[in-house]
Structures are given as structure tokens and as C-alpha cells.
Amino acid sequence: MPKMKSHSGAKKRFRVTGKGKVMREQAGGRHLLEHKSSRKMRSIANDVELAKPDAKKIKKLLGK
């Protein structure tokens, strides 16, 4: 049986930390920035942990 390929879209969107958490970027940080406060933009800039049920599926796509 050949090795499973990693999902190329998932590779670009998610990363797995050393402890095995799946991290994702937050939405809304790309455009219409003029009206957003700098406080809001700082919070959007940080990655957040993916929900546990979703993380299981994404790990399978990433081959982890």
C-alpha cells in the first residue's frame, strides 16, 4: 500500500504544535482594515486552537 499524501490545502491552512494541537488562523485579517481597531487586529493576528472534533479530521488530512 502506498503512503497517503498530505492534503495540499490543509498543509497551507493548519499547523500542528509540538504537543499535537492543531492551530488555525482567524478570519477577517486580510481586508477592510480601516475600521477595525488595532486591538481587534492584534487579537486576529494570533493563531487559535482548532476544535477537538475538527482537529481529528485535519490531522488525518495532514498525515499526522
Side-chain angles (χ1 to χ4, degrees):
M1 197 77 192
K3 288 184 179 179
M4 263 185 67
K5 288 193 175 182
S6 304
H7 191 282
S8 56
K11 276 193 298 190
K12 295 167 193 172
R13 290 180 175 90
F14 306 102
R15 65 184 179 85
V16 181
T17 63
K19 289 192 173 186
K21 293 180 187 174
V22 181
M23 305 299 281
R24 65 169 177 84
E25 286 191 8
Q26 295 189 72
R30 298 281 188 260
H31 61 114
L32 303 175
L33 305 177
E34 226 171 291
H35 77 277
K36 291 184 180 117
S37 67
S38 37
R39 179 179 175 179
K40 179 76 175 168
M41 288 307 300
R42 280 195 304 275
S43 74
I44 286 174
N46 300 325
D47 290 358
V48 290
E49 189 179 349
L50 200 63
K52 296 284 182 206
D54 298 331
K56 193 174 179 182
K57 294 174 196 167
I58 296 300
K59 277 188 178 179
K60 198 176 283 185
L61 289 175
L62 294 174
K64 302 276 178 188

